[in-house]
Amino acid sequence: MNKTKLGIKKEPALGHKKLLVLGYVWPEPNSSAAGSHMLSLIQFFLNQGYQITYASPAQRGEHKIDLTQLGVEEVPIQLNSCSFDELLITLNPDTVLFDRFMLEEQFGWRVTKHCPNAIKILDTEDLHCLRQARQAAFKRHQKHKDRPFTLDDLHCDVAKREIAAIFRCDLTLVISDYEIDLLQEHFKVPEQLLFHCPFMLEMNTHSASGIDYQDRQYFISIGNFRHEPNWDAVLWLKQSIWPLIRQQLPKAELHIYGAYPPPKATQLHNPKQGFLVKGWAEDAKQVMENAKVCLAPLRFGAGIKGKLAEAMWCGTPNVTTNLGMEGMHMGKPWPGYITELTHSIDLKQHAKDFAVKAVELYQNQTSWQQYQSLGYELLIANFDKELIQQKLASRLNSIGLGLIKHRNDNFIGQMLQHHHLKSTQYMSQWIEAKNKLI
């Protein structure tokens, strides 16, 4: 992957600070918003003068970028292996970044044991407990017409694991302001352990799209097929929403893009219906910029949506649900139409509402142009890389200068760290010993 194409510049090292990133996956910025966000964080630490090692136990995907082009060392690691201890001792990092709570669970105790003075940062990407609880509630309601999602659904094992990991770390990066509020108000996580870190976009390089309304022809939906909310959105489009749109716009096309489409997705491809499953887009911005309207009918999920940020960047207004725009508008007018998805509304009626708004936006040039301008304004207000990175650098510097007090003020974290160190350490060592006998 060409690093110039990614809009990333390799910066010279400014110091000798060391960062170890423990990745849940190898970054694929052209496949998912999580990959793009991780790449932004890597660029931030490079600009701060860090020497970076990216380590992951995951298999390398076909769309993985080559981090070595940026001067980042890539190291494959194993679960439940003392070889990771040797890596820690050799690197002796000043900072460790865990990519999602599962990596903190697996490797956090080893970091605490061998690098007790390293600042530990957790990047949530989205709150997994919120996404999974919403998905379970939606599926339950769809099947049994049971009660809707409530905050009581968050009192599950995933939440207990995820919140514990947040307390054990010195700082947690949270991508959504809604999730910041949820963590503070519902789970009582102290403000000093959290940092609101949405998408960091190069707004100083952004320019308005040169492709006008009349030159755009199709609807678009885009998202990694391995992400369950995206797959559910595609199915809902196919089964309920798109037929209603085609009744009013019989020549319209919907182009479906996304990495790793399974056979069950490609089988939905139907040119006669204008439902075109395109799969992987090598240049997502190009296909987005040529689309007239972005459709994101998300019925569950968490975090914020890369597809909608990309649509705004490309000057493509959108139609989405209240869950789709959650955590993104931050009080600013939304650059498109929103349908309110609640369990009190019939899904057939919601599909009709979504289709009506999609057709209206597709046909109304005046509204379309107004929403395009609002999209540019929202990006500048909420996702300016320079402003976010200045705040993040300041927070990390403050934590580093007062790390002992910062940790002493987090007694719950110390308590969880103590028990986690014992229980997880012994379980991991037992698995390691067992593996040696196989």
Side-chain angles (χ1 to χ4, degrees), residues 22 24 33-35 37-38 41 97-104 121-132 158-159 161-167 169 171-180 183 189 193-199 227 302-304:
L22 296 174
Y24 181 68
H37 192 54
M38 174 54 70
L41 289 172
L97 174 64
F98 301 100
D99 174 26
R100 285 163 264 205
F101 79 91
M102 298 82 80
L103 273 291
E104 190 280 335
I121 304 171
L122 173 61
D123 180 30
T124 56
E125 294 298 345
D126 66 11
L127 278 183
H128 289 59
C129 62
L130 177 62
R131 170 162 46 84
Q132 293 183 23
V158 173
R161 293 167 54 196
E162 190 166 23
I163 304 306
I166 289 172
F167 271 101
C169 288
L171 188 68
T172 292
L173 309 181
V174 185
I175 206 166
S176 159
D177 63 342
Y178 173 84
E179 293 175 4
I180 286 274
L183 288 169
V189 178
L193 298 183
L194 305 173
F195 181 83
H196 182 209
C197 188
F199 298 140
H227 193 54
I304 60 178

Side-chain angles (χ1 to χ4, degrees), residues 123-323:
D123 180 30
T124 56
E125 294 298 345
D126 66 11
L127 278 183
H128 289 59
C129 62
L130 177 62
R131 170 162 46 84
Q132 293 183 23
R134 280 176 169 168
Q135 179 176 343
F138 176 79
K139 298 294 186 183
R140 182 180 64 237
H141 181 76
Q142 204 177 28
K143 185 175 182 179
H144 303 294
K145 303 301 179 184
D146 201 354
R147 64 171 178 80
F149 167 81
T150 70
L151 293 181
D152 288 340
D153 292 313
L154 292 175
H155 298 174
C156 57
D157 288 346
V158 173
K160 293 167 187 174
R161 293 167 54 196
E162 190 166 23
I163 304 306
I166 289 172
F167 271 101
R168 286 193 295 265
C169 288
D170 299 308
L171 188 68
T172 292
L173 309 181
V174 185
I175 206 166
S176 159
D177 63 342
Y178 173 84
E179 293 175 4
I180 286 274
D181 292 340
L182 184 68
L183 288 169
Q184 290 184 242
E185 296 173 11
H186 185 74
F187 292 111
K188 309 304 178 186
V189 178
E191 180 182 3
Q192 64 268 23
L193 298 183
L194 305 173
F195 181 83
H196 182 209
C197 188
F199 298 140
M200 296 179 281
L201 306 181
E202 296 269 10
M203 295 313 303
N204 59 343
T205 67
H206 181 263
S207 58
S209 172
I211 305 178
D212 297 328
Y213 168 87
Q214 59 270 16
D215 297 321
R216 299 178 182 227
Q217 301 302 323
Y218 54 86
F219 291 91
I220 188 173
S221 181
I222 190 168
N224 192 314
F225 282 94
R226 289 178 174 174
H227 193 54
E228 186 64 26
N230 293 336
W231 169 237
D232 176 77
V234 170
L235 281 179
W236 197 28
L237 281 167
K238 174 68 173 181
Q239 296 168 356
S240 302
I241 297 173
W242 185 244
L244 298 174
I245 294 175
R246 283 277 286 191
Q247 286 177 10
Q248 300 179 66
L249 301 172
K251 294 184 179 180
E253 292 183 352
L254 173 57
H255 295 193
I256 306 285
Y257 290 93
Y260 303 107
K264 63 181 179 180
T266 56
Q267 289 169 4
L268 300 179
H269 181 80
N270 191 321
K272 291 184 179 180
Q273 297 174 354
F275 196 92
L276 308 178
V277 180
K278 301 280 189 173
W280 163 256
E282 186 173 351
D283 190 339
K285 283 188 170 63
Q286 182 183 31
V287 297
M288 180 65 77
E289 191 173 11
N290 281 281
K292 186 169 286 186
V293 175
C294 175
L295 302 180
L298 297 160
R299 298 194 282 188
F300 50 85
I304 60 178
K305 311 304 177 287
K307 60 178 69 63
L308 294 176
E310 195 157 71
M312 295 178 222
W313 181 279
C314 296
T316 307
N318 66 82
V319 183
T320 188
T321 64
N322 52 309
L323 288 181

